[in-house]
Amino acid sequence: MLATIRHPAATAPEAPTLVIAHGLYGSGRNWGVIARRLADRREVVAVDMRNHGESPRFPTQSYPEMAADLAEVIESLGPQPVDLLGHSMGGKAAMQLALTRPELIRRLVVADIAPVAYAHDQTRNARAMAEIDLSRITTRAEADAALSARIDDPALRAFFLQSLDLRQRPPRWRLNLPVLEAEMPKIVGWPGTLGVFDHPALFLTGAESRYVLPEHRETIRALFPKARFAKIPGAGHWLHAEKPREFEETVRVFLEA
């Protein structure tokens, strides 16, 4: 089963458990601050998706498999339905689960992704991480310097380096990079899943992101007829990291409506 980080409710739970599924190259640890703040009235469980963090390594990374992983976690938590939040790759896995096992989910939050195939390719970033000679790395600063030769964006490097375990000698990536690179067509794609999730769903996007476009709304509404749409000003694809308080408040209002 997937590794999880559980954030118990600060008081007696008044709402269903919230499960959080991170995006590509991320982990449940990335969501620590938001998860703890949302745990004031409910338990929050952040997962490490397969081939990420401390979760098991598998040879494949398809959305039906990722949805089955999430279903196993949800069924282990006790009473269903739960609320489910997914960002990017995790958002697609969450949509896949909602369309195939709708009884498990009360409310769905999809952060900056649509149920469509994308043309962009993230294999360059997997290769950049894999090409670093970790036997020469002893500090995060050294790792950042090595990665800067391949990735210009310091914010993106900082995000990737959250998945570098410097306690190990030599350090190791908490990512199954060969599989993620090989399975990239599935990750940026969409399996064309049919079905209808007839419960409330929030599609929350960064106003400066180009991942969810106006032309995607017809496809979204066909699968999620109760979909609502909201944008966070000044945020891009990493909206939860760029505008965490605004992200948290928007999610809270939707889940508690």
Side-chain angles (χ1 to χ4, degrees), residues 25 123-134 136-137 139-164 173 175 177:
Y25 304 134
T123 55
R124 180 179 68 87
N125 292 322
R127 289 175 191 155
M129 286 182 272
E131 287 170 358
I132 292 179
D133 183 359
L134 294 177
R136 298 176 177 270
I137 300 296
T139 67
R140 192 166 300 276
E142 291 174 351
D144 183 64
L147 203 55
S148 68
R150 299 164 175 83
I151 298 173
D152 294 332
D153 186 346
L156 199 56
R157 295 198 306 271
F159 169 69
F160 293 152
L161 289 173
Q162 291 182 51
S163 290
L164 182 62
W173 291 105
L175 300 165
L177 294 170

Side-chain angles (χ1 to χ4, degrees), residues 169-188:
R169 286 291 178 263
R172 70 176 182 93
W173 291 105
R174 296 189 187 93
L175 300 165
N176 191 348
L177 294 170
V179 167
L180 295 177
E181 180 177 349
E183 293 287 277
M184 197 60 65
K186 294 178 185 176
I187 295 170
V188 300

